[in-house]
Amino acid sequence: MPRRERNKFVKRGQIIDILIEDYAFGGKGIGRIRNEHGEFVVFVPNTLPGQLVKTQIKKSSKKYAEGKLFEVLKPSEDEVDMPYQSIPGAPYINLPIEKQHQYKKQSTLELFKRIGKVVDIEDKFDEFVTSPNTFHYRNKMEYGFSAIGYDHEKKTDVDEFTLGFKKRGTWWCGDDLKKDSGLFDAEFENHLKDIKAYCVKTGLAPWHPPKREGFFRYFVVRKSYKTNQLLFNLVTTSYDLPQFDLDKFANYLVELFGDRVAGLLHTINDETGDRTIATTGTISLVYGEDKIVEELLDLNFEISMKSFFQTNPKCAEKLYTKVVDYALENKEAVDNTVVLDLFCGTGTIGQIIANKAKNTKIVGVDIVAAAIEDAKENAKRNNIEGLKFYAADVGKFLTEHPEYTNKIRTIILDPARAGIAPKTLKKIINLKAERLVYVSCNPATQARDTEQLMDAGYTIKKLSLVDQFPHTAHIETVVLFEKN
């Protein structure tokens, strides 16, 4: 057996300082090592051209390596100062938003050329849809407790009670959020240090990730932009629970936020896995209501702690408007027909189309039963008729419900990040719909599916990008496909 050739540039586990020179899709900065053996590329996620960064090599091959970002040693010349506390969830918050848009557009279109084989993608480009709020746009945040903190001066982890986010590049180390991060509700985040102080005073321990023990685990908050209310969920283990007064904690939150408090839930999670909602745990209402109401395009949606809902609701309105505009561009293919809304989640897109179309039957399908229950409830609340929802695997549904297959002219697709399974995509293609409106939170898998759709006789008519998550690498795409 031939010996594997040793990488002449880097080895796995090595920590190096490297200058980032270019930007690739998904927020991967490109650094280059040059020595007597030639030039070698290192991809480092969440970095920007012009930054000098410290990275640890996680994967290495003959052609390139991938690193994990530890620290930005020197910012890019493009970056500007911001009044917010820097957190790992917003790696580009110091980059002007126009520059962020430029990087996202350029790298996404390049992806469709390279993976989707769409050589004229620039000609198909319709619009870059920006978020109405660049800051404080999120309606949900999860803050973690940890018994291990980080001393930024000594650059080492220390034993201390923390409440905030994981220190970048670590799974065991917490980092206190001491003020507004610029992403969520400013009033709430400026009070997080007070909530931490309250918890410290109880004498109960925060979660210790390596030991997998402790009491406080997570504090999860949802916000309604319609009512400005906050819904809280305190996640703890059951150990020492009798020593913690949940009612007193609820009263403390009301002292801080007054009538903004919609309710407080308490989740028991004794599992060792790092999740806010345990599969075996319980969730109970301590105070107030267990839901908040949000509004999207004049429709009302009840959101529980477990519900899936768009994280940036104001931008989601713009996303859904674009999807509906593409769907209704040819109203003849929607009015008096059946529209399939596949991977429909809580059925928002289908409801909006049913509200705007004439005598259209919307059939929504999603594998998550709880999302389908929410979809049915929301349709009732909004008095929208002509909707039918099924909790089923999309591929299986298409096989088992032939009654819809010869009436379909328009299909809405909004799959998870993994894209559409090839067998399922083949079943969708076999429906011979004239038009597909494909929404994606992962353009890489959408570009992959594009090649299969083009082979089946579909072409891209239009493509828009929607910036749902400013200051991150994420971008959503809406593509209108038409059958040749």
Side-chain angles (χ1 to χ4, degrees):
M1 191 174 169
R3 261 181 80 192
R4 193 172 161 196
E5 191 180 335
R6 192 171 64 84
N7 191 309
K8 296 184 175 80
F9 297 92
V10 289
K11 60 184 178 186
R12 195 166 172 270
Q14 187 178 347
I15 296 173
I16 60 169
D17 297 349
I18 193 166
L19 178 69
I20 303 301
E21 299 176 11
D22 289 310
Y23 181 93
F25 176 77
K28 289 184 178 180
I30 302 172
R32 293 182 175 87
I33 297 171
R34 298 172 178 91
N35 61 22
E36 67 274 16
H37 303 293
E39 186 176 286
F40 185 75
V41 167
V42 180
F43 292 103
V44 186
N46 300 325
T47 59
L48 290 167
Q51 288 179 336
L52 179 68
V53 303
K54 187 177 288 295
T55 181
Q56 183 176 37
I57 304 301
K58 303 307 284 182
K59 288 181 189 171
S60 179
S61 69
K62 270 200 262 182
K63 293 185 178 176
Y64 66 91
E66 289 189 26
K68 179 164 77 170
L69 176 63
F70 270 166
E71 192 179 352
V72 176
L73 301 170
K74 185 182 165 195
S76 163
E77 286 181 4
D78 292 328
E79 293 181 83
V80 293
D81 287 335
M82 283 289 165
Y84 309 114
Q85 181 173 329
S86 176
I87 63 169
Y92 310 126
I93 201 162
N94 295 99
L95 187 68
I97 196 70
E98 299 75 21
K99 198 80 179 166
Q100 294 182 37
H101 295 165
Q102 182 189 321
Y103 282 140
K104 287 182 180 185
K105 179 183 172 184
Q106 177 188 324
S107 61
T108 305
L109 295 186
E110 194 56 46
L111 200 71
F112 274 87
K113 276 187 195 169
R114 186 168 51 82
I115 298 175
K117 311 288 192 293
V118 188
V119 288
D120 59 346
I121 191 66
E122 284 89 357
D123 299 337
K124 316 288 188 184
F125 183 71
D126 174 18
E127 187 184 359
F128 192 105
V129 179
T130 60
S131 175
N133 305 326
T134 304
F135 298 101
H136 306 113
Y137 60 82
R138 289 184 64 93
N139 64 359
K140 183 184 179 186
M141 273 297 214
E142 296 179 355
Y143 305 90
F145 291 92
S146 179
I148 304 173
Y150 189 75
D151 187 319
H152 286 269
E153 284 182 16
K154 294 178 182 173
K155 296 194 182 303
T156 183
D157 47 358
V158 289
D159 291 334
E160 66 177 13
F161 191 121
T162 67
L163 175 58
F165 301 102
K166 291 276 196 307
K167 164 82 175 64
R168 180 176 276 133
T170 69
W171 59 270
W172 67 90
C173 197
D175 211 357
D176 276 329
L177 185 72
K178 294 174 180 170
K179 65 172 187 174
D180 177 15
S181 70
L183 293 194
F184 187 56
D185 185 88
E187 184 194 14
F188 171 78
E189 289 198 327
N190 284 325
H191 272 304
L192 194 67
K193 60 183 183 299
D194 303 317
I195 293 166
K196 174 195 155 179
Y198 180 98
C199 295
V200 170
K201 272 185 190 171
T202 66
L204 299 171
W207 185 251
H208 193 294
K211 291 181 182 174
R212 302 186 186 280
E213 64 184 28
F215 177 70
F216 294 108
R217 295 195 72 168
Y218 285 98
F219 196 50
V220 185
V221 193
R222 294 199 93 142
K223 173 182 175 176
S224 163
Y225 281 86
K226 179 183 171 75
T227 65
N228 200 32
Q229 284 190 301
L230 302 169
L231 180 65
F232 300 106
N233 181 23
L234 179 68
V235 183
T236 72
T237 59
S238 61
Y239 320 116
D240 300 321
L241 185 55
Q243 296 173 51
F244 185 74
D245 190 330
L246 285 161
D247 294 322
K248 194 175 169 189
F249 182 60
N251 292 337
Y252 178 68
L253 293 174
V254 174
E255 273 177 41
L256 288 179
F257 305 109
D259 58 9
R260 290 195 71 196
V261 180
L264 170 66
L265 296 144
H266 174 238
T267 295
I268 293 176
N269 179 0
D270 288 334
E271 294 177 6
T272 55
D274 199 15
R275 287 192 301 271
T276 52
I277 305 291
T279 50
T280 56
T282 61
I283 185 164
S284 55
L285 183 64
V286 177
Y287 171 87
E289 301 292 326
D290 64 351
K291 289 187 173 84
I292 47 175
V293 175
E294 190 55 277
E295 187 177 79
L296 275 184
L297 297 170
D298 301 322
L299 300 177
N300 286 316
F301 297 88
E302 268 193 2
I303 308 162
S304 69
M305 220 11 115
K306 289 183 178 180
S307 301
F308 168 78
F309 199 73
Q310 289 285 351
T311 310
N312 181 349
K314 293 296 174 193
C315 193
E317 289 191 323
K318 294 176 84 170
L319 170 72
Y320 291 146
T321 298
K322 181 59 70 176
V323 174
V324 173
D325 285 351
Y326 280 7
L328 298 180
E329 190 179 80
N330 178 357
K331 273 204 91 198
E332 192 192 309
V334 174
D335 290 343
N336 306 302
T337 67
V338 174
V339 172
L340 267 185
D341 184 7
L342 303 180
F343 317 98
C344 70
T346 52
T348 314
I349 295 171
Q351 288 187 61
I352 297 166
I353 291 174
N355 214 19
K356 292 177 179 285
K358 185 181 171 189
N359 195 30
T360 301
K361 184 168 188 176
I362 309 286
V363 176
V365 186
D366 199 283
I367 198 167
V368 180
I372 292 296
E373 286 308 309
D374 281 349
K376 289 174 181 175
E377 284 301 314
N378 289 328
K380 262 191 226 167
R381 185 177 303 104
N382 293 309
N383 296 315
I384 298 175
E385 295 178 353
L387 291 154
K388 203 159 175 68
F389 291 108
Y390 294 87
D393 171 76
V394 166
K396 208 171 173 191
F397 172 85
L398 294 174
T399 304
E400 292 175 356
H401 288 270
E403 69 269 26
Y404 295 122
T405 55
N406 57 1
K407 302 174 186 173
I408 307 296
R409 294 178 69 185
T410 301
I411 299 175
I412 312 294
L413 302 163
D414 189 3
R417 289 189 64 77
I420 304 170
K423 283 183 182 176
T424 301
L425 189 54
K426 200 170 179 188
K427 288 177 184 175
I428 291 166
I429 288 165
N430 289 341
L431 294 175
K432 297 183 170 59
E434 295 165 29
R435 306 157 72 252
L436 309 173
V437 183
Y438 188 158
V439 190
S440 176
C441 59
N442 185 358
T445 53
Q446 188 183 42
R448 177 204 69 201
D449 295 343
T450 294
E451 189 179 16
Q452 192 176 339
L453 287 166
M454 285 169 63
D455 288 344
Y458 285 94
T459 54
I460 292 179
K461 188 181 179 191
K462 288 181 178 180
L463 171 142
S464 284
L465 275 59
V466 184
D467 190 27
Q468 287 252 80
F469 300 102
H471 321 306
T472 76
H474 296 293
I475 190 78
E476 301 237 353
T477 41
V478 185
V479 180
L480 174 59
F481 289 93
E482 287 192 343
K483 191 86 169 160
N484 292 338

